[in-house]
Amino acid sequence: LVGAAVHAVAPLLLIVTAETGLAYRRAITSAQSAREAELKAERAEREQAANERREAQERRAREEREHTAQLAREQREHEALIAREQTAREEAARREERERAEARERAEREARERREQMREQQQAERERLEREATQRRELEAREREARERREREREQQQAERERQALLAAGPAVEKQDEARARATVRAAFDAGLPVRTAAELCGWSVGWVSTRYQEHR
């Protein structure tokens, strides 16, 4: 029994060791498998987290791009709106300026037309007044000429009567005064009488009468 027990120790130890090692190997394998599973899970979690972070970053980047694009679009729309408003204001200003210019031109044209019409009226009035003045002057001239003609005719008639009277008086009995003698000589000269006849009519010398004839000539 003792020998059997002694000799049985080594196989028992071998058996126990083998069984224990197998158990240990199984436990280690299980532990390793569990560790690997945990590592895989951790890696998966890390990858998922990384994917989530990447997706979040991409989402944030996309949102930022969209936000930037929206801001740029809003900026462009705002600038376009400002440009349209500026264009509308400039167009309104140009239209108002055109309207003011047209109104100014229309007012100036109307003023020119009024001035032209007034000048024409004034010219017509001046022409009418000038015609009336010319007609009055012509009428006055005709009346003056008629009066002068009548006056000349009266003077001529008077002179003719005086000349006839002087000539009809015949030879002077005595020497006439100088004024009457000159009138008699003038009447004789106008009648074409010779110097001697005129001297007989006035009673002055032939030389004096001849000098008067020369003066009349």
Side-chain angles (χ1 to χ4, degrees):
L1 293 175
V2 173
V6 171
H7 289 290
V9 171
L12 290 174
L13 289 174
L14 181 58
I15 294 169
V16 171
T17 301
E19 292 296 334
T20 303
L22 180 60
Y24 284 162
R25 281 196 301 272
R26 289 176 179 172
I28 290 170
T29 301
S30 299
Q32 287 177 351
S33 298
R35 182 61 179 172
E36 290 175 359
E38 291 177 359
L39 292 174
K40 288 180 179 180
E42 290 178 359
R43 280 196 304 271
E45 290 178 358
R46 285 195 298 270
E47 290 176 357
Q48 183 177 1
N51 292 330
E52 291 178 354
R53 285 193 300 271
R54 187 170 55 256
E55 291 177 357
Q57 290 176 357
E58 291 176 355
R59 186 171 57 255
R60 285 195 299 270
R62 186 171 59 255
E63 291 176 354
E64 290 177 358
R65 288 194 300 272
E66 292 177 355
H67 182 65
T68 303
Q70 183 177 0
L71 291 177
R73 186 170 57 255
E74 291 177 355
Q75 181 67 23
R76 288 194 300 271
E77 292 177 355
H78 181 66
E79 291 176 355
L81 178 60
I82 292 175
R84 287 195 299 272
E85 292 177 353
Q86 181 67 22
T87 303
R89 286 194 297 270
E90 292 176 356
E91 182 64 25
R94 287 193 294 270
R95 186 169 57 254
E96 291 177 358
E97 182 64 24
R98 286 196 302 271
E99 291 176 354
R100 286 195 296 269
E102 291 175 357
R104 187 166 54 251
E105 291 177 358
R106 186 166 55 254
E108 292 176 356
R109 185 171 60 255
E110 291 176 355
R112 286 195 302 271
E113 291 176 355
R114 286 195 298 271
R115 289 195 297 270
E116 185 65 24
Q117 184 178 4
M118 186 176 297
R119 281 197 298 271
E120 291 177 357
Q121 292 177 355
Q122 292 175 354
Q123 181 67 21
E125 183 66 18
R126 283 195 299 271
E127 292 176 356
R128 185 183 64 79
L129 294 176
E130 289 176 358
R131 285 196 302 272
E132 292 178 355
T134 302
Q135 292 174 357
R136 284 196 300 272
R137 286 193 298 271
E138 291 177 354
L139 180 60
E140 291 174 356
R142 287 195 296 271
E143 292 177 352
R144 185 169 56 254
E145 290 176 356
R147 287 196 302 271
E148 291 175 354
R149 187 170 55 255
R150 288 193 297 271
E151 184 67 23
R152 285 194 301 272
E153 291 176 355
R154 284 196 299 272
E155 290 176 356
Q156 290 174 358
Q157 292 174 1
Q158 181 67 23
E160 183 65 22
R161 285 194 297 272
E162 291 177 357
R163 185 168 57 252
Q164 294 297 331
L166 290 173
L167 297 177
V173 178
E174 59 182 10
K175 185 178 181 179
Q176 297 177 349
D177 61 88
E178 185 176 356
R180 186 173 179 82
R182 285 178 175 276
T184 302
V185 172
R186 178 70 187 186
F189 177 81
D190 292 338
L193 299 177
V195 175
R196 186 174 297 279
T197 303
E200 292 175 357
L201 292 174
C202 66
W204 285 64
S205 66
V206 174
W208 184 84
V209 174
S210 178
T211 301
R212 303 287 83 75
Y213 264 50
Q214 184 65 32
E215 290 177 355
H216 292 319
R217 283 195 294 271

